Amino acid sequence: MVTPRGLGSLLLLLLLLTSGQEKPTELPRNTCLGNNNIDKYDILNLNDKASCFTKCRQWGSDSCNVENLQRYWLNFEAHLVKEGLTEKVNMPFLKALVQNLSTNTAEDLYFSLKPSQIPRQVMKDEDKPPDRVRLPKSFFRSLPGNRSEVRLAVTILDIGSGTLFKGPQLGLGDGSGVLNNHLVGLSVGQMRVTKLAEPLEIVFSHQHPPPNMTLTCVFWDVTKGPTGDWASEGCSTEVVPEGTMCCCDHLTFFALLLRPTLDQSTVHILTRISQAGCGVSMIFLAFTTILYAVLRLSRQRFKSEDAPKIHVALGGSLFLLNLAFLVNVGSGSKGSDAACWARGAVFHYFLLCAFTWMGLEAFHLYLLAVRVFNTYFGHYFLKLSLVGWGLPALIVIGTGSANSYGLYTIRDRENRTSLELCWFREGTAMYALYITVHGYFLITFLFGMVVLALVAWKIFTLSGATAVKERGQNRKKVLTILGLSSLVGVTWGLAIFTPLGLSTVYIFALFNSLQGVFICCWFTILYLPSQSTTVSSSTARLDQAHSASQE
């Protein structure tokens, strides 16, 4: 008979024995991790995996396993050919045709690739569709083994706008992408078909691409990196009336990449234009600083003015930015990784300083011309300096701690290196570029444009209300707005129009690099002629700023 004391001891012993056993670990239930049901291709699993085309939007995300998901779709064609359960697949994201073909065919075979329809074989007497694939009659004779019949799979896959099947090449943030997000897959049986004597042809129909973009035929190469990448070896690109034709000597997944057109000669010319413009701007900005020092020594009241101090601070940040740019471009990839990291960080810092001081110019202009009253702040310029030089430093420290700086490469349409400089590293560091450069610039630029628009409205309405109108007054108003626009960085806004064509890229490179010249001209006209023309920022009145620009 077991006593209560003995029963308690027995339960305690069982508890100790079972507590040391490890519980079986469960695989994550998140479909996009790709761990569960990796080899199952029923409708439910296909839909679950297809949802990841839009969910996976960031490289290195813990919620997605890009490598597993891509392998899942690459193996789907092999599954169709091997199982032979169905001859057609019709889903919103996937259209597939599996068909048995005789290897003794005496003519080329054509298949329609219209993305909205299941691929189908086009008969000899039919019109050739704009999206199609052509398998030459010699294709079947070049297959290994003596086979009278093979099983062909033709797949059209819509990969969406996420990170699946994008690869490192499309993570540069330069507008690159897969045309229409469509992939075309071709496979025959369980064979690996390469080095065809006569290439197959795939035609992708499309409208004319943007003038500064180029289309390149590529295939998905699983041997490139841990997740694979796009490659163009064995494929040629040919422009045809209805679109682009890809001629490739193997079977796999194919696509048409849309990438910026910046060949080596174009990059060389743009670099020379920017270097010349930056050099000229540095000379004029140095003259602006010398002029300010002379005026500060010769005019007692000039020492209390905040506006010229802000102008000189902006000029100083641009001078250092131009210098950092010249050093960075001239050095290229020379030196150690640490030196490249430092050059990238310094260039990023002075770029952010320039953006910040443009925003502070807009803020001061807002106080001067829009708010007008209650604009006194103690230690005003000191506070602006803490923001203008301190805020970029904090951003650079945060960005550098994430190891975002390194070698950045600009490539041409043949994927050859056109320019190397120390900037943000390729890959996940591009997200830091989007936030700390593109996003930061967009905020300061939009603020400056709003303030400039308000000031322009005030200048035109205030002058229009006066009874006496001088000859050429409208011309002076326009010159005033142009002068103020150079302070708030309007020339940087030309970057928005660069996708319109290569000519706009040249215009941006020229005018933006000459911003220092424009600031020097504005500073000279505003302060040099006489003491009476000096803008008094302490009074903070719009009519004084406007009259100073007219005199």
Side-chain angles (χ1 to χ4, degrees):
M1 181 177 180
V2 181
T3 63
R5 182 185 298 274
L7 181 60
S9 301
L10 180 61
L11 292 175
L12 180 61
L13 178 61
L14 290 174
L15 180 63
L16 291 174
L17 290 174
T18 56
S19 63
Q21 296 178 356
E22 294 184 359
K23 297 182 179 180
T25 58
E26 295 184 2
L27 292 175
R29 297 182 181 273
N30 187 346
T31 302
C32 295
L33 285 176
N35 294 326
N36 51 335
N37 299 329
I38 194 63
D39 296 323
K40 296 186 180 297
Y41 293 101
D42 56 85
I43 295 179
L44 180 60
N45 281 294
L46 285 171
N47 279 291
D48 286 342
K49 295 293 191 295
S51 66
C52 303
F53 288 141
T54 55
K55 290 180 181 177
C56 301
R57 292 186 176 273
Q58 183 176 357
W59 283 99
S61 174
D62 294 334
S63 61
C64 287
N65 189 319
V66 175
E67 183 178 3
N68 282 348
L69 290 169
Q70 289 174 170
R71 189 183 301 113
Y72 178 86
W73 293 107
L74 290 173
N75 292 336
F76 178 64
E77 272 193 341
H79 166 77
L80 290 177
V81 172
K82 180 180 179 181
E83 298 298 330
L85 300 177
T86 180
E87 291 186 352
K88 295 180 181 180
V89 178
N90 187 8
M91 306 184 77
F93 53 87
L94 178 67
K95 311 290 183 183
L97 170 70
V98 183
Q99 185 171 328
N100 292 325
L101 297 174
S102 172
T103 57
N104 296 322
T105 180
E107 58 185 22
D108 299 341
L109 298 184
Y110 289 86
F111 293 87
S112 171
L113 297 178
K114 190 174 183 179
S116 60
Q117 298 177 355
I118 300 174
R120 64 181 181 88
Q121 186 175 355
V122 180
M123 297 297 102
K124 184 177 181 180
D125 54 347
E126 284 189 67
D127 293 334
K128 300 300 184 293
D131 295 270
R132 63 184 182 271
V133 58
R134 182 184 75 90
L135 296 178
K137 55 187 178 183
S138 61
F139 168 79
F140 298 98
R141 293 194 297 269
S142 62
L143 296 178
N146 295 321
R147 302 168 184 263
S148 60
E149 191 178 67
V150 293
R151 193 166 178 82
L152 172 71
V154 183
T155 306
I156 304 175
L157 183 62
D158 186 349
I159 60 174
S161 57
T163 54
L164 290 180
F165 290 104
K166 296 303 189 292
Q169 285 195 43
L170 304 187
L172 304 178
D174 56 1
S176 301
V178 175
L179 184 69
N180 299 325
N181 291 319
H182 286 146
L183 272 59
V184 174
L186 296 168
S187 63
V188 173
Q190 302 294 314
M191 293 176 285
R192 183 172 180 266
V193 181
T194 59
K195 298 182 179 179
L196 294 171
E198 184 178 359
L200 59 93
E201 297 176 356
I202 304 175
V203 177
F204 295 91
S205 66
H206 56 80
Q207 300 295 326
H208 294 293
N212 64 329
M213 305 293 284
T214 184
L215 292 168
T216 306
C217 296
V218 292
F219 70 95
W220 188 256
D221 189 350
V222 295
T223 64
K224 287 197 171 185
T227 60
D229 197 5
W230 292 110
S232 58
E233 294 83 1
C235 288
S236 62
T237 306
E238 181 181 345
V239 178
V240 294
E242 63 268 35
T244 300
M245 182 169 65
C246 301
C247 301
C248 299
D249 64 356
H250 56 281
L251 298 185
T252 182
F253 274 89
F254 302 94
L256 207 55
L257 288 195
L258 184 67
R259 294 188 293 188
T261 304
L262 279 179
D263 53 24
Q264 291 183 341
S265 60
T266 302
V267 171
H268 180 77
I269 295 173
L270 289 173
T271 302
R272 291 293 177 262
I273 292 175
S274 299
Q275 288 176 324
C278 290
V280 173
S281 286
M282 290 176 65
I283 295 174
F284 277 80
L285 290 171
F287 174 77
T288 303
T289 304
I290 295 173
L291 177 60
Y292 170 77
V294 172
L295 292 175
R296 186 177 174 86
L297 292 174
S298 60
R299 299 178 181 178
Q300 184 64 29
R301 198 173 65 180
F302 200 80
K303 297 180 181 180
S304 61
E305 297 284 348
D306 286 323
K309 295 177 184 178
I310 299 174
H311 300 340
V312 171
L314 172 60
S317 65
L318 288 174
F319 181 91
L320 295 173
L321 173 62
N322 292 333
L323 179 61
F325 172 78
L326 294 177
V327 172
N328 203 354
V329 173
S331 301
S333 58
K334 298 177 182 178
S336 62
D337 292 340
C340 189
W341 186 98
R343 290 200 299 270
V346 170
F347 184 48
H348 186 207
Y349 173 71
F350 289 126
L351 179 64
L352 294 180
C353 287
F355 289 160
T356 307
W357 279 108
M358 291 176 207
L360 294 176
E361 284 277 11
F363 174 74
H364 183 72
L365 188 59
Y366 167 78
L367 297 180
L368 185 72
V370 180
R371 185 173 176 178
V372 180
F373 300 105
N374 299 323
T375 58
Y376 174 76
F377 299 96
H379 304 289
Y380 177 63
F381 182 71
L382 176 61
K383 294 177 180 177
L384 293 184
S385 298
L386 290 176
V387 175
W389 303 109
L391 180 60
L394 295 177
I395 296 175
V396 170
I397 291 173
T399 306
S401 62
N403 195 26
S404 298
Y405 304 118
L407 187 63
Y408 180 78
T409 303
I410 298 176
R411 299 180 177 90
D412 61 11
R413 68 182 70 183
E414 282 79 27
N415 206 30
R416 295 174 302 186
T417 300
S418 300
L419 179 66
E420 289 184 337
L421 70 160
C422 296
W423 186 224
F424 284 80
R425 294 185 298 106
E426 299 178 8
T428 57
M430 291 293 102
Y431 292 102
L433 172 66
Y434 302 148
I435 297 172
T436 64
V437 177
H438 298 175
Y440 194 86
F441 161 72
L442 188 61
I443 293 173
T444 56
F445 178 75
L446 290 178
F447 175 68
M449 293 304 98
V450 171
V451 172
L452 187 63
L454 292 174
V455 171
W457 176 77
K458 281 233 172 186
I459 287 177
F460 280 92
T461 56
L462 181 64
S463 299
T466 58
V468 180
K469 295 185 179 181
E470 300 178 1
R471 179 179 297 179
Q473 189 178 27
N474 288 332
R475 182 177 61 85
K476 295 178 181 179
K477 297 176 188 177
V478 173
L479 291 177
T480 300
I481 300 302
L482 290 177
L484 296 175
S485 66
S486 66
L487 302 178
V488 298
V490 171
T491 54
W492 288 86
L494 294 173
I496 300 174
F497 302 100
T498 52
L500 297 179
L502 195 57
S503 58
T504 57
V505 177
Y506 284 107
I507 294 174
F508 168 74
L510 176 62
F511 281 91
N512 197 54
S513 60
L514 292 176
Q515 185 184 7
V517 179
F518 303 144
I519 292 177
C520 179
C521 294
W522 171 255
F523 190 91
T524 303
I525 295 173
L526 203 60
Y527 297 110
L528 189 59
S530 63
Q531 177 71 22
S532 61
T533 61
T534 303
V535 177
S536 177
S537 61
S538 60
T539 59
R541 292 181 57 187
L542 175 61
D543 55 349
Q544 286 183 329
H546 187 208
S547 62
S549 64
Q550 292 181 1
E551 296 179 359

